[in-house]
Each structure stands twice: as C-alpha cells, then as structure tokens.
Amino acid sequence: MLYIIGLGLCEETDITVKGLEAIKSCEKVYLEAYTSILMVPKENLEKFYGKELIIADREMVESQSDEILLNANSLNIAFLVVGDPFGATTHTDLMIRARELNIPVTVIHNASIMNAIGACGLQLYNFGQTISIPFFTDTWKPDSFYDRIKENRDLGLHTLCLLDIKVKEQSKKIYEPPRYMTINKAIQQLLEIEETRNQKVYTAESLAIGIARLGSSTDQQIKVGTLNQLLSQDFGSPLHSLVIVGSRVHILEIDFMRFFAIDKQSYNEIVKKDYDI
Amino acid sequence: MLYIIGLGLCEETDITVKGLEAIKSCEKVYLEAYTSILMVPKENLEKFYGKELIIADREMVESQSDEILLNANSLNIAFLVVGDPFGATTHTDLMIRARELNIPVTVIHNASIMNAIGACGLQLYNFGQTISIPFFTDTWKPDSFYDRIKENRDLGLHTLCLLDIKVKEQSKKIYEPPRYMTINKAIQQLLEIEETRNQKVYTAESLAIGIARLGSSTDQQIKVGTLNQLLSQDFGSPLHSLVIVGSRVHILEIDFMRFFAIDKQSYNEIVKKDYDI
C-alpha cells in the first residue's frame, strides 16, 4: 500500500491520528521536500514518528517514482506531503502513475493553505481562483497571474497568492540555497507588473492581507493594510502568503479583518472609501 | 483558553494529534452539529477522546455563545467543528465575539471539503468561487448560485457545489429529522434552474463529478460523467458534493478524472468534443 499523507501546516503534531498510525505501519517513509516546508527540522519529525525519513527531492520523485511505487506492491510505503496531498501537481502525477501500475493508494488528508487561509477573516466562498507568484529574474518576469487577478477582481472576489519556493534548485550543476518569497517581495513584483500592464487591476492603495507561518500555535502573523502599508512590515521567517481583498465583502469579513489591521484608523477610512458597507 | 478544533472529514482518527492533545486538556467539550456531520456516532468520539461531548446546535450557539465563551476565561473549553474551523460563517461569528470579550482563542486546522476536493482529480487553482445549493420548496427556489456558476464557467473554472444540510431545523416548533441533499437532488435542481433561466450556463450533457463520503478510508466514492449520467447513479449515504467541470482543464486533470469515469468510452467522447485536449 502507498500512503500519501498530508502533514498539515506547521508542527509535527499537525499530522492526523490516522496519518500517524499509517506511518507507524510503514517500512519506508519518504518526505517530499520541494513544494513546501514544515516549520520543524527533519530530526524532530523522525523522533515523533519513530521512523527514519528519506528526503524526496524533485529529482528523485521524477526519476525514481516507479521504484518508490513498485515497492508499495509488497510493502507499506508512506509519502509525506506538507499541507494536503492534493496541493501540488507533482503528487497528482504520482497518484496517476500508481493507478496505472495498479498499486493500491490511500490518501490521508490534512489542512493546507487552500482552506486554512480562512483564518485571515475572509470567507472561503468569496475567493476566486488561486494564483502563484514566481520569483522574477532580470530577464524572466512571467505575469500571467495579473490576468487571473483581474478576472477575480472584476467579479469582486478575493485572490489568494501563493508565493514562490525554491528548494534545491540546480543552476549550472550547483545547488542554490533554498529561497522563500517574502510578502514584501511579492508586493514589489505585483506593483511592478501593475506599472507595466497599467490596467488598474489593483494599486498600492488596495486592501490586502499578509499571512506568515499560518497555523503555527506560537508564531502565526496576520496583518491587514494597503499593499503599500504591508510593503514596509517585517513578517519574519517563512512561509508567507498574501491575499488581495475583493470588493464583494460581507460585514463579518470587515469586522474580522479589523482585528488584524496595522492601523485601525486608516483601515476604517479605506473601508468607508472603497467598500459599500 | 477557547480551542476551536477542526475534526477533519470522516472518522474519529481524522483529528490531528495537536487537536487531540488540546481536547484532553479541556474541562468542557462542545461538538458543533448543525453545519456538517462526521461519519461516526457521538459515542465513538467520546470513547476516543475520553471526554463527554455537549452537542451544540444552532440555537445553543446563537443564544448561549457568551456563556460558552466566558467559561473560557478561566477554563480550557473546546469547540469541535467538522472539517476546518473556518468552513462556516457561524464559527467566524464565535471567534469575533471571543476577540471582543478578550478571550484567548487557539484555532487548530484540519482538512475540509474546500481543499480535500482535490481528490476528484481537478487542480485546486482551477476552481472558481464555491457555491451552495439549498433545498428548494414548492414556493422558495433561490437561484443566485446560477449566476455564480455562470461567472466561473465564463472563465473556464471548475465549480464546487456544497449541498444543503438540514439538521434539527425547527418548523412550527416541531423538529424535523435531519436531511442531507443527495447529488441526484442537486442535479435535478440545477437542471430545473437552467430550464427557467435558460442562459445555457450548463446542460444535462455538461461534465461533472459526484463525490460521496470524501476522505473515508473505506467508503469514499467518486464518479465522473455528464450531469445526466450522474443523475441515475446511487451514491449511498451522506455527505455528497458535486463539481461542475470548467473548460480550462489541464491534461493531468483529464487523465486523473478518467479513472473515475462511469463509462470510459463516453468520457473519451465528451473530452474529445468539449475539451480542446
């Protein structure tokens, strides 16, 4: 049996009881470590699970997936994924391959940014499509997310922006250190693209929410303000996410966001000016 | 401390280790029982948690929330919610009230339909806004979901439809037995509204996915077909959900959905006819 197990958002205890029981039944346990990270080191997980973890990087999963899978024909194998197993395309790929090989697969779900983002005070059914903001380089600035944000904002919907993670990226055969995009960098890039595309999809004065270390029991940070206000805030260590608030807001959402406002007075002014509430 | 703890999707072991530890530290444990249900009876939960559960219905939460909250000033109180704590507006309301009363609140996240729906094979970032389909009566047929589905489909996005749940609804002081909308009933209502509104947002031939008991390790069912094909399928006991597939699909999504096709040949024909893949 291949178990694909979501680890949740932050700490080792975020795993479900069902997930932990499954790990304990497994001969080999892989930890997927390139689409997201937990906030605890591998050693803590190993101690908590009572199992040794094999780090599965993108290279290994893409080149050795059949090896991982075929083992699961006779043994219990676990593949651990931060968040929920269906958060990233790579895991979907692994599941399709397993089905093609007739390997039995059990998925154990968990929280991920896609539902836990409700913690920012906005209702999940008022979100449009989720977008990803990739790290720009001097010569490569893909901006298709701009069109997606426009589609959401034309409907008044909120946009969850997932920020880029680069773990063990190879550049000329040299591995670069991991990089996690900050909220500040994401906002810089968003404003840069708005300046280029100039369709007034959003401005530096648009209301947004910065979320850092979502789900951490000790260290979660949520701040509400204009993109400009958030730009100068320090959100600390990763992971960071950003939400651009749509115009179709419920009074409960306005009230909830107020708790997280960087500056309550300016928040009230923005709400009065931009929102029909 | 008030703990608001997500229970996940189905069974008692879907709770996180963090959540279970929190419950064990609590003096009083409420189980919210009107926005969703687990697939196990209350007694199993009580045995698993080693705690007695107080069923919190809508009436109690709305009329006695201050009582629940004020206890949390001196004691550890848990409020258990199926799925993730931010799945329903009522819990948001409770959190806002707690913050106003300066009661410390800890949220413990879990999987919910909003992220676990990825199990149907569609990528979460290709979903538009989520809609709810309420039970129609002879005289009350609210159809605002039709406009939301249109907005999603105009952009080529998938639509997750949450189906109505009526638990302990009061009608003339008599409590009605709980009712859970089936996929079949939802499709009937969708087609009824399409006939009335007639904007060709979808038809009986549109591709959709029926999902029953999502997350159950023994009993999950996913079926892919046209609305018409799904209409005659028996999905068994609750909970049911429905996804209307958008036109903006990735080849991986097409491949994954094929595993769940009611009829592979007709699935391949639909994909060839309706999707540019």
Short mmCIF file of all heavy atoms in Angstrom, two decimals, chain B residues 59 169-176:
data_model
loop_
_atom_site.label_atom_id
_atom_site.label_comp_id
_atom_site.label_asym_id
_atom_site.label_seq_id
_atom_site.Cartn_x
_atom_site.Cartn_y
_atom_site.Cartn_z
N GLU B 59 -29.25 26.77 17.82
CA GLU B 59 -29.96 27.51 18.86
C GLU B 59 -29.03 27.83 20.03
O GLU B 59 -28.93 28.97 20.48
CB GLU B 59 -31.08 26.59 19.35
CG GLU B 59 -32.34 27.26 19.78
CD GLU B 59 -33.36 26.15 20.13
OE1 GLU B 59 -33.97 25.62 19.19
OE2 GLU B 59 -33.46 25.80 21.32
N GLU B 169 -33.78 21.34 12.18
CA GLU B 169 -34.48 22.56 11.78
C GLU B 169 -35.84 22.59 12.45
O GLU B 169 -36.54 21.58 12.53
CB GLU B 169 -34.68 22.57 10.26
CG GLU B 169 -33.42 22.81 9.47
CD GLU B 169 -32.98 24.26 9.47
OE1 GLU B 169 -33.82 25.14 9.22
OE2 GLU B 169 -31.79 24.51 9.72
N GLN B 170 -36.22 23.76 12.88
CA GLN B 170 -37.50 23.89 13.57
C GLN B 170 -38.56 24.34 12.59
O GLN B 170 -38.37 25.30 11.86
CB GLN B 170 -37.35 24.92 14.69
CG GLN B 170 -37.85 24.42 16.01
CD GLN B 170 -37.65 25.46 17.07
OE1 GLN B 170 -36.78 26.32 16.94
NE2 GLN B 170 -38.47 25.42 18.10
N SER B 171 -39.66 23.60 12.54
CA SER B 171 -40.77 24.04 11.71
C SER B 171 -42.01 23.96 12.59
O SER B 171 -42.42 22.88 13.01
CB SER B 171 -40.87 23.11 10.50
OG SER B 171 -42.18 23.06 10.03
N LYS B 172 -42.58 25.09 12.87
CA LYS B 172 -43.74 25.17 13.78
C LYS B 172 -43.47 24.42 15.09
O LYS B 172 -44.28 23.58 15.51
CB LYS B 172 -44.99 24.62 13.11
CG LYS B 172 -45.46 25.48 11.94
CD LYS B 172 -46.60 24.81 11.20
CE LYS B 172 -46.84 25.48 9.85
NZ LYS B 172 -47.45 24.61 8.87
N LYS B 173 -42.32 24.67 15.66
CA LYS B 173 -41.94 24.10 16.97
C LYS B 173 -41.73 22.58 16.94
O LYS B 173 -41.55 21.96 17.97
CB LYS B 173 -42.99 24.44 18.06
CG LYS B 173 -43.00 25.91 18.44
CD LYS B 173 -42.02 26.20 19.55
CE LYS B 173 -41.83 27.72 19.71
NZ LYS B 173 -40.68 28.06 20.50
N ILE B 174 -41.82 21.99 15.75
CA ILE B 174 -41.55 20.55 15.67
C ILE B 174 -40.20 20.37 14.99
O ILE B 174 -39.93 20.99 13.94
CB ILE B 174 -42.66 19.83 14.87
CG1 ILE B 174 -43.98 19.94 15.62
CG2 ILE B 174 -42.30 18.36 14.62
CD1 ILE B 174 -45.19 19.62 14.79
N TYR B 175 -39.32 19.60 15.58
CA TYR B 175 -38.04 19.36 14.96
C TYR B 175 -38.18 18.33 13.84
O TYR B 175 -38.72 17.25 14.04
CB TYR B 175 -37.01 18.88 15.99
CG TYR B 175 -36.58 19.98 16.90
CD1 TYR B 175 -36.89 19.95 18.25
CD2 TYR B 175 -35.86 21.08 16.40
CE1 TYR B 175 -36.51 20.98 19.10
CE2 TYR B 175 -35.48 22.11 17.24
CZ TYR B 175 -35.81 22.06 18.58
OH TYR B 175 -35.43 23.09 19.41
N GLU B 176 -37.70 18.69 12.67
CA GLU B 176 -37.74 17.74 11.55
C GLU B 176 -36.51 16.84 11.61
O GLU B 176 -35.48 17.22 12.15
CB GLU B 176 -37.75 18.51 10.23
CG GLU B 176 -39.02 19.32 10.05
CD GLU B 176 -38.97 20.19 8.80
OE1 GLU B 176 -37.94 20.18 8.11
OE2 GLU B 176 -39.98 20.87 8.53
#
